[in-house]
Amino acid sequence: MKIASAVPCLLFAGAALAAQPALYHDGWIDLNKNGTEDAFEDPAQPIPARVADLLGRMTIDEKIGQLLMVEMRSNSPSALASGLAKGQIGSLIISSEGFESPAMRNRLQHIAVEQSRLGVPLVVGFDSIHGFRTLFPIPLAQSCSWEPSLLERTQTISARETAAAGIDWAFSPMVDMARDPRWGRIAEGFGEDPWLGSVYSAASVRGLQGTNVAASDRVLACLKHYVGYGAAEGGRDYNTTEISESTLRNFYLPQFKAGVQAGAWTVMSAFNELSGVPASANRHTLTGILRGEWNFPGLVVSDWGAVTQLIPQGMAGDAAGAARLALTAGVDMEMVTSTYLDTLKDQVAQGKVPEAAIEEAARRILTVKFAKGLFEHPYVDETLCQTAYLRPDARALAREAASKSCVLLKNQSNTLPISPQTKAIALIGPMADDGGQLFGCWAGLAHFEDGISLAAALRAKLSPQARLTVARGCALVERADATVAPEPFQQAVDCAKTADLVILALGEPSDWSGENKARSDITLPGRQLELFQAVAAVGKPVIAVIFNGRPLALGPVHETAAALLEAWHPGVEGANGVADALFGDVAPAGRLTTSFPRSVGQVPVHYNHLNTGRPTYGEYVDGPRDPLFPFGFGLTYTTFEYGPVRLSSPALRRNGALTATVRLKNSGARSGEEVVQLYIQALGASEAGPRPVRELKGFQKVHLDAGESRDVVFNLNGNELGFYDVRGDWLVEPGRFRLWLTKDAASGTPADFEITR
Ligand code: BGC
């Protein structure tokens, strides 16, 4: 939670800008007093040499200054100016409420570069989570596209807009695996599967950083929250986690490793306690694994206040202890609190903290600043932001992403797509006419008027003869026990009576997911279910469209509605994208990346669980144990038939190859896309413990015309079929395996094979 004081930002318009004549500035390059260039300023030198040269010139105060990230608005302008001029601030974080303009960034940067002794530039960060001004669907929604290149493209636009605003660093992607829909931050991640999450993690990093992170339209990526944050007990944010080493290695770490391998320059340490040691003081994960095993060259920034929070977490007794524990565990930069600044110098003098630890942290931070090209280009073009936001290509992509993120969960009697001949449509529900509620959590710098409502998007689709009537029916989050006048319900029912078809637009408010937004109940909030039932009782075909940030328990809606479309919080073009899907201009082809429980009591429910010794037992006395919709599930406007799985050989060696093929037929009347999913199960014989009942190891999104058939071929290497042991070694164990090529995690007939030595 951010607690920012509301200091007005009158910054640096006047006196503070007075340049100090310590250095002579010649274009982008500072010349020293002898008129020559210092080695650290020479772009021709390799980065490690530049960093070493610069570090050699720095005082301990200046090194510690680099470790500090401050938030604009919680510091007075004069304190900021003075800190910058003294070289005591390495980085700035801007929150959306405090954002002004790239001109502001340049003003601050001028102080850092021109008034501090060595002119080390600032690096400026912001939470661009699913876009900056052009908001794309929430990450969980985008993951349902099963199209990593789509995420790469949305992140590329996000980087372009973020950079144009004068920001160098996006605190994205969030790669926390989550299985608990109560946890509000499930919206920010890529679902429950570590393999798919890893593919998205890498795609996201590529999208933000590009091939040259120093380019003016790219930003540094930040893999967060390292690590285990998504396992918060009870789904309550910031809560303790207890994760075995094997589960950590196989479910929570792979997404981070993939992001590091894709070149992410930064990682954020998490708030949670991880199996007894807070993640932001966890030497095992921060140093042992991240640096030791993966050779991560970049910087680790703490999450917001996560260093001082070591005190209430019971890990540190005071600020000095918190600083010492975090720094020596491997947290290089402290976000928004100042225990490093306040205590590290004294702790070095007292022999409690090795100076080398400070030097090492500063080295990593400077390395990232050089990599971002900040020494060559500390300032940004202030005019770019006038034309950079919401460009037509960005809006078009946001619309494409919104329709590709939709998951069709039910479609009885081909209710969808809506026929253009439909004369009278009733659009009912609290999401019907509220474009801003479609944005989702972490709405960047989006303005309410950037969005479009579902009512407006549908109207744009209808022929002049058709009629659309709109009724809200009830509020989005009315308390169930509140006294509600019956009139709005009645109005909605009347509206349904006059229509041929009803679209019920229901869901959760945008700010009911994201940080610190846990729910103990995952049904539709307020009186929406009652509204649904009252409207459905009219007897017209009902299409339910749900806008939400987490899996919801949709059982009653699923049972009654003729069609059910999961639209998530789809962003600024969300309504248009959903309208495209409803009218069939785009056939929804999303597949769930998170299981949908039947009720909150089933949580956690996920496909890749272990078997018990009694696999057929363990039902609830009051209901089934399988989810309402499994991982991978989703329909489209046509149907597909799968032939049997054919393997090129019944056995392969550990580093040998195998081909798995399935004949896929579009058996419906329209062209469409199927996501063919490859799952395996390793059957027994493991010294490192049993493996899950299924694990995703591949997928292909296949487009087939009506009636068309095609062989879908997967080339597997034995090496891909392993898992991590508790030391982090990748094991491929000989033994029997089962393999499915199928449409979701709960279907299909497997073929068996063996891995031999
Ligand atoms: C969140 C992070 C975010 C940071 C900076 C924290 O409260 O947990 O995800 O990047 O704030 O805004």
Side-chain angles (χ1 to χ4, degrees):
M1 280 273 283
K2 294 175 196 58
I3 307 145
S5 66
V7 178
C9 206
L10 315 163
L11 273 181
F12 318 116
L17 262 186
Q20 290 181 356
L23 294 171
Y24 166 63
H25 290 274
D26 175 22
W28 295 117
I29 298 176
D30 291 342
L31 300 183
N32 63 25
K33 285 181 187 134
N34 305 324
T36 59
E37 213 175 276
D38 292 325
F40 77 86
E41 290 174 319
D42 177 2
Q45 299 272 344
I47 289 177
R50 298 179 77 183
V51 173
D53 177 65
L54 180 54
L55 274 174
R57 297 163 195 269
M58 290 171 90
T59 63
I60 186 164
D61 290 308
E62 286 166 335
K63 288 176 198 162
I64 293 172
Q66 286 303 308
L67 318 190
L68 193 70
M69 172 186 277
V70 304
E71 203 265 338
M72 290 274 318
R73 301 202 314 160
S74 22
N75 289 274
S76 73
S78 58
L80 259 186
S82 137
L84 285 167
K86 285 192 211 146
Q88 282 184 348
I89 298 176
S91 174
L92 276 177
I93 172 169
I94 300 179
S95 46
S96 45
E97 317 90 64
F99 186 77
E100 284 187 1
S101 65
M104 175 195 72
R105 171 241 167 73
N106 281 351
R107 286 200 294 277
L108 297 169
Q109 190 71 296
H110 273 290
I111 300 178
V113 171
E114 292 166 16
Q115 297 187 31
S116 72
R117 194 177 69 88
L118 291 164
V120 179
L122 281 167
V123 57
V124 179
F126 182 84
D127 284 291
S128 297
I129 307 298
H130 50 113
F132 182 73
R133 180 76 184 268
T134 305
L135 277 188
F136 298 100
I138 54 169
L140 182 60
Q142 290 193 55
S143 72
C144 292
S145 70
W146 293 66
E147 206 175 298
S149 60
L150 177 75
L151 181 70
E152 187 171 338
R153 287 190 291 144
T154 61
Q155 288 287 62
T156 300
I157 301 277
S158 177
R160 184 174 85 191
E161 294 191 354
T162 304
I167 291 155
D168 314 299
W169 183 5
F171 301 126
S172 170
M174 187 194 97
V175 298
D176 293 311
M177 191 276 281
R179 299 167 169 167
D180 192 334
R182 292 172 299 180
W183 192 52
R185 305 200 78 167
I186 197 170
E188 298 174 51
F190 305 127
E192 73 190 36
D193 185 73
W195 186 91
L196 190 59
S198 300
V199 172
Y200 281 123
S201 173
S204 189
V205 171
R206 287 196 302 271
L208 291 171
Q209 296 192 167
T211 48
N212 173 20
V213 74
S216 60
D217 58 354
R218 297 293 180 172
V219 292
L220 298 159
C222 183
L223 303 167
K224 69 186 190 185
H225 308 82
Y226 192 72
V227 54
Y229 187 40
E233 270 186 24
R236 293 194 298 283
D237 209 358
Y238 316 118
N239 209 6
T240 301
T241 69
E242 194 69 42
I243 304 174
S244 75
E245 193 64 20
S246 167
T247 301
L248 186 70
R249 296 277 186 182
N250 287 291
F251 288 92
Y252 291 89
L253 286 171
Q255 303 82 327
F256 287 92
K257 186 174 186 184
V260 167
Q261 286 174 341
W265 274 108
T266 81
V267 167
M268 186 183 292
S269 70
F271 290 127
N272 55 293
E273 183 179 275
L274 171 65
S275 308
V277 181
S280 289
N282 201 310
R283 194 191 293 245
H284 171 53
T285 50
L286 289 166
T287 296
I289 296 176
L290 185 63
R291 270 72 180 241
E293 295 178 19
W294 303 346
N295 297 317
F296 172 60
L299 72 84
V300 173
V301 61
S302 80
D303 202 344
W304 185 283
V307 177
T308 38
Q309 287 174 25
L310 294 174
I311 304 171
Q313 278 181 301
M315 183 75 182
D318 56 16
R324 186 171 63 246
L325 286 165
L327 180 78
T328 57
V331 175
D332 304 309
M333 185 181 275
E334 179 177 6
M335 189 190 284
V336 303
T337 50
S338 61
T339 69
Y340 283 15
L341 183 71
D342 299 339
T343 73
L344 284 181
K345 191 176 176 187
D346 285 350
Q347 297 203 69
V348 169
Q350 294 158 6
K352 290 184 178 162
V353 169
E355 191 170 348
I358 295 169
E359 171 119 352
E360 190 50 36
R363 181 188 308 283
R364 294 175 186 141
I365 292 164
L366 293 173
T367 300
V368 172
K369 290 185 174 184
F370 278 112
K372 179 67 189 113
L374 289 167
F375 284 81
E376 282 67 58
H377 301 288
Y379 308 113
V380 295
D381 178 346
E382 294 175 15
T383 61
L384 267 182
C385 65
Q386 291 157 13
T387 52
Y389 306 148
L390 293 166
R391 284 194 198 153
D393 64 334
R395 277 207 177 268
L397 181 60
R399 182 172 185 157
E400 178 187 342
S403 61
K404 285 184 166 170
S405 301
C406 287
V407 186
L408 183 63
L409 297 173
K410 182 178 182 186
N411 195 18
Q412 207 172 41
S413 318
N414 294 327
T415 307
L416 285 173
I418 299 171
S419 153
Q421 271 75 51
T422 312
K423 287 280 176 309
I425 299 178
L427 173 63
I428 295 171
M431 288 296 200
D433 59 359
D434 193 344
Q437 282 298 355
L438 310 190
F439 285 3
C441 56
W442 295 103
L445 227 63
H447 296 187
F448 182 80
E449 59 276 13
D450 297 340
I452 161 172
S453 71
L454 188 59
L458 294 181
R459 264 194 200 103
K461 294 268 179 202
L462 291 178
S463 71
Q465 295 75 40
R467 177 168 55 86
L468 181 80
T469 43
V470 181
R472 281 180 80 84
C474 69
L476 202 48
V477 292
E478 225 154 27
R479 281 173 36 156
D481 59 355
T483 332
V484 180
E487 297 83 58
F489 262 35
Q490 194 50 52
Q491 206 185 10
V493 166
D494 292 344
C495 181
K497 282 183 182 157
T498 62
D500 306 325
L501 181 76
V502 178
I503 300 174
L504 264 157
L506 308 170
E508 288 179 304
S510 275
D511 63 0
W512 272 39
S513 47
E515 186 177 353
N516 199 23
K517 296 290 161 55
R519 291 189 64 191
S520 61
D521 171 8
I522 53 166
T523 58
L524 285 165
R527 300 175 60 113
Q528 295 186 68
L529 191 53
E530 269 179 77
L531 172 71
F532 171 84
Q533 278 157 343
V535 170
V538 172
K540 300 292 169 67
V542 168
I543 298 164
V545 183
I546 314 291
F547 298 94
N548 48 327
R550 56 164 57 75
L552 296 177
L554 292 172
V557 178
H558 177 242
E559 279 154 28
T560 311
L564 173 56
L565 187 72
E566 172 54 75
W568 305 107
H569 285 137
V572 283
E573 282 287 333
N576 280 327
V578 168
D580 289 341
L582 291 172
F583 280 87
D585 301 310
V586 177
R591 305 292 189 267
L592 296 177
T593 56
T594 177
S595 305
F596 269 49
R598 293 170 193 274
S599 69
V600 76
Q602 286 189 318
V603 171
V605 59
H606 54 102
Y607 87 92
N608 41 13
H609 58 85
L610 298 180
N611 249 341
T612 68
R614 296 182 171 190
T616 56
Y617 286 65
E619 296 289 328
Y620 295 95
V621 288
D622 54 0
R625 68 174 178 187
D626 61 323
L628 182 61
F629 303 113
F631 176 87
F633 179 79
L635 308 168
T636 185
Y637 293 155
T638 184
T639 48
F640 291 94
E641 282 170 13
Y642 284 74
V645 176
R646 284 134 49 204
L647 300 178
S648 57
S649 147
L652 81 162
R653 293 161 84 89
R654 265 190 255 202
N655 53 5
L658 179 79
T659 302
T661 306
V662 71
R663 188 81 178 160
L664 182 70
K665 178 171 185 204
N666 180 342
S667 48
R670 295 172 58 114
S671 67
E673 280 177 319
E674 174 72 335
V675 178
V676 181
Q677 300 160 37
L678 187 157
Y679 296 95
I680 61 152
Q681 182 187 16
L683 293 164
S686 172
E687 285 172 19
R691 304 299 309 146
V693 294
R694 284 197 192 193
E695 295 176 86
L696 184 77
K697 292 287 181 186
F699 70 90
Q700 287 182 45
K701 201 168 177 179
V702 183
H703 183 279
L704 291 183
D705 289 334
E708 192 185 349
S709 295
R710 189 184 308 161
D711 275 348
V712 183
V713 183
F714 289 82
N715 295 311
L716 281 180
N717 191 292
N719 276 328
E720 295 164 42
L721 305 182
F723 61 97
Y724 292 102
D725 69 9
V726 291
R727 287 176 305 280
D729 292 328
W730 183 249
L731 292 187
V732 182
E733 295 196 317
R736 275 194 315 127
F737 280 74
R738 198 154 265 182
L739 184 147
W740 293 260
L741 293 178
T742 183
K743 60 190 165 74
D744 60 51
S747 67
T749 307
D752 287 5
F753 66 96
E754 199 169 332
I755 293 195
T756 59
R757 283 177 192 285

